[in-house]
Amino acid sequence: MRYLLFVCLFLYLAGISCKKDDAPSATLPSLTTTPVSNISGSIAVGGGAIIDNGNADISASGICWSSTNKMPTISDDTTKGNTSNGAFTAQMANLQPSTAYYVRAYAINSAGVGYGEVLSFNTGNGVPEAKNPLIEGQPALTNKIKVSFNYSDPENDPQAGTTYQWFIANNATDTISSPGSIISGAMDSVYNIAGTDLNKFLRVSITPKSSSGASTGTTIFSKWVGPVGPALTTATFMYNGQEVTYGIITSSTTGKKWLDRNLGALQVATSPTDYLAYGDLFQWGRPADGHQLINWTSSTAGTPINGTTETKFTSNSPNSNLFVITNTAPHDWVDPSNFNRWANDPQGACPFGWHVPTKTEWSAEGKSAINNLHLTNVGERANCCGGILLQTGINGCYWTSSIQSQLFYFFLTSEGGSAGFNVANFGRSIRCIKDFN
């Protein structure tokens, strides 16, 4: 009897042991990787399908990807989900445009991480982006306003063909979805304010475009400016690091609007020899970088504030306040000499909406400009001899933005007309005329 009990107990325990040995152990999950779709410059959609959980519960699943690791793991960029069986999708974000990536699905159970096959894909060309639109200029009749913005492109493709559209409204409460009424034909970054715009509000849309790749970005809108006021009698702008306000003169000869003094002048001239109205002396085509500054002490004398150099600059916008006095041909302050300065961008050192007058504009005023525009006999500054001042108190020399056969024209108060001269690194006065009269 005891022997029988012993045999039964042995067989019972053996049976339990056999059952334990028959239970399958956990293995890595098996799965496939789904082809990548919805690819753009920065995002794409991937996924996978869990075929077998490896005899253990799936604790996490997702996709992992890398642009450098051809066998990406969960140590690389990863999305994490909790799908335990069947198919799943996941989005990859913050991708670099025009880049090759490797991706595969993964699933995790108690045995470890199982991976699907590795697939590769290329992101597309990123779209350009416009940010921080800003309307410059005063919203008033006969004025110009323009929009500027920050442009960027993932591949650094240059901007080309960006489009604009100006809108008008009775108030500034219109939304982007209802941006106001389109102004027909106003499709430039600059807008000339018309008489019908009085008391209205203005804004502009910008659609950035690049020269290649995914060329068109998302349209953005500026804030409203306005209400549009009547024509201004003064112009306020930044000059030499300070805010200045000049008056506006309407010529009785041509009806054109001019600033009432030379750039840098302290006041409107009370006479042709009023040295407080002389202002500064610019080299042709050069910005207001300090080279032009003069401290006038009398109607016949003054002292340049900054020094000189005999070395020509290599940029149209030199990071220097030195006046170039070299007298070697071509007679210019920049090398190589070029006319892509005031000839192509006549605004020069003038405020926005104003420009350095052309030869034709000066000639139209004639000798009456001396009195009409309160011109002065400021003289000029030589391109040699230490940059000395010449003809001060005797003649006025005013630059034009015109060139012809490499001659730089200027207006002489003693002659009441324009004269050609081929020395761009002389220093002469600037009197600004309004773009839109």
Side-chain angles (χ1 to χ4, degrees), residues 20-250:
K20 287 184 177 178
D21 291 341
D22 290 342
S25 59
T27 60
L28 294 179
S30 62
L31 62 162
T32 60
T33 303
T34 302
V36 178
S37 62
N38 298 331
I39 301 170
S40 73
S42 60
I43 62 173
V45 175
I50 299 171
I51 299 173
D52 189 334
N53 67 1
N55 302 313
D57 292 338
I58 301 294
S59 59
S61 60
I63 57 175
C64 51
W65 66 92
S66 173
S67 62
T68 57
N69 183 4
K70 293 185 177 182
M71 297 293 290
T73 70
I74 58 174
S75 297
D76 295 304
D77 290 320
T78 304
T79 62
K80 184 177 181 181
N82 56 9
T83 300
S84 59
N85 61 78
F88 60 86
T89 60
Q91 180 173 283
M92 294 170 275
N94 300 317
L95 303 177
Q96 295 300 310
S98 302
T99 302
Y101 279 91
Y102 306 92
V103 60
R104 57 178 172 171
Y106 74 90
I108 302 173
N109 66 8
S110 59
V113 184
Y115 292 98
E117 69 274 27
V118 176
L119 301 179
S120 63
F121 68 97
N122 283 277
T123 51
N125 187 281
V127 298
E129 186 176 22
K131 289 184 176 180
N132 305 319
L134 176 65
I135 294 180
E136 302 175 56
Q138 296 171 283
L141 296 184
T142 76
N143 263 16
K144 281 184 175 182
I145 55 177
K146 70 176 179 179
V147 66
S148 61
F149 64 97
N150 296 329
Y151 170 87
S152 63
D153 183 86
E155 293 82 21
N156 294 318
D157 293 328
Q159 182 184 178
T162 292
T163 59
Y164 307 88
Q165 178 61 65
W166 289 87
F167 297 83
I168 191 168
N170 292 324
N171 55 62
T173 61
D174 291 284
T175 63
I176 289 177
S177 61
S178 178
S181 300
I182 289 176
I183 302 176
S184 178
M187 302 174 67
D188 192 86
S189 61
V190 176
Y191 176 65
N192 297 332
I193 297 177
T196 54
D197 299 337
L198 185 64
N199 299 321
K200 304 289 188 180
F201 290 80
L202 302 167
R203 81 184 318 180
V204 64
S205 68
I206 304 164
T207 304
K209 292 188 178 182
S210 64
S211 59
S212 60
S215 61
T216 303
T218 301
T219 298
I220 63 170
F221 288 79
S222 72
K223 294 181 179 179
W224 290 102
V225 294
V228 173
L232 300 174
T233 58
T234 61
T236 299
F237 56 98
M238 296 299 296
Y239 178 75
N240 194 33
Q242 295 182 335
E243 185 177 82
V244 297
T245 298
Y246 291 1
I248 297 174
I249 297 173
T250 300

Side-chain angles (χ1 to χ4, degrees), residues 11 13 37 54 75 88 165 192 208 261 272 315 328 340 388 410:
L11 292 174
L13 294 174
S37 62
S75 297
F88 60 86
Q165 178 61 65
N192 297 332
R261 70 198 73 179
S315 168
T328 58
N340 298 321
I388 61 173
F410 58 92

